Amino acid sequence: MHNTGSENACEKTSFMFLRQELPVRLANIMKEISLLPDNLLRTPSVQLVQSWYVQSLQEILDFKDKSSEDSGAIHSFTDTVIKIRNRHNDVIPTMAQGVVEYKESFGIDPVTSQNVQYFLDRFYMSRISIRMLLNQHSLLFGGKINPAHPKHIGSIDPSCNVVEVIRDGYESAKTLCDLYYMSSPELILEELNAKSPGQPMQVVYVPSHLYHMVFELFKNAMRATMEHNADRCIYPPIHVHITLGNEDLTVKMRDRGGGVPMRKIDRLFNYMYSTAPRPRVETSRATPLAGFGYGLPISRLYAQYFQGDLKLYSLEGYGTDAVIYIKALSTDSIERLPVYNKAAWKHYKANHEADDWCVPSSEPKDMTTFRSI
């Protein structure tokens, strides 16, 4: 993040970097797309996504031998970057639609579910990283400066006000909740700056990533709170604690929405187990990820992208704590990228192995089948 957010960024340098880096990132993930199960690869939606990636790779490769002194080529490159970014706007819902099409035709088996989970985490993380590069270049050199955020370096805010972003996320989720349930839980927000007491909570970060995470968590917390407490018509507030330490910025969101059983926690992050009804894929102006149930797994990827994390801790019958970890220092916020290699290839080729732990049967053992030692 430190490098992509340099104030002295030069369009020529960015051009030279991106024409090398984008094909590598595109080719890495395209190789993994080709390793998907044939029946998933053949779905119309996955075919469409694959065609977008092929087209974008070809367009970037056209600049491979262009001179960095050619201002016409550099301007053309910026236009191409914006075109590619717009082409890929609907990658997430389109790939999700492919998974829905596959499930409807072939159902779910453990091997495919395991492979699809592994792939989609890597595919969506790759997309976040590619989009980050495309956004940085187009925002810095596309000729449009956002007047609302003049100090932003591309999509990076060198002084991201964490409390402000969290309040924005709450207000957006509250609007949806009020529309649907005619009411909403209040927000109680506490902050502790242990690193610099008395100072505002600020980190170098991408505000849109943080907003995406907290908006998703607020939506989930509000829905759970409203439905769990519907009979009483008293809705406990959502508590958010923000702490800034020397290494981590931590955001903990606590709701009293009844929680979920421990065995279901992992399922909340599983792309194949989404219980959401099949949505229509429309335009990218629709609410992001509405209806696919991908909000949590993709929010976790946003957290992990710059070496953070997102975890859920649930108390069934009471509520859920969601915790976002973000690196406090920009020098620690290094991209986490999937790389295609032999280890990755093995994940797609390995069969689902039998579990090497067991749950003993409640039936008494037939001791005649055991040898004495």
Side-chain angles (χ1 to χ4, degrees), residues 41 46 166 169 217 226 269 330 357 363:
L41 198 49
V46 176
I166 288 170
L217 293 178
M226 299 307 290
F269 291 98
S330 62
W357 293 84
E363 298 296 316

Side-chain angles (χ1 to χ4, degrees), residues 150-196:
K151 292 186 177 175
H152 282 200
I153 303 164
S155 55
I156 297 169
D157 185 350
S159 307
C160 178
N161 187 318
V162 177
V163 174
E164 201 175 278
V165 175
I166 288 170
R167 288 195 186 280
D168 282 351
Y170 169 77
E171 291 300 332
S172 298
K174 182 182 188 302
T175 302
L176 290 179
C177 191
D178 285 337
L179 276 171
Y180 193 80
Y181 295 104
M182 314 302 285
S183 185
S184 55
E186 292 297 312
L187 169 65
I188 296 177
L189 196 148
E190 294 179 44
E191 49 184 300
L192 171 67
N193 191 336
K195 187 180 182 183
S196 306

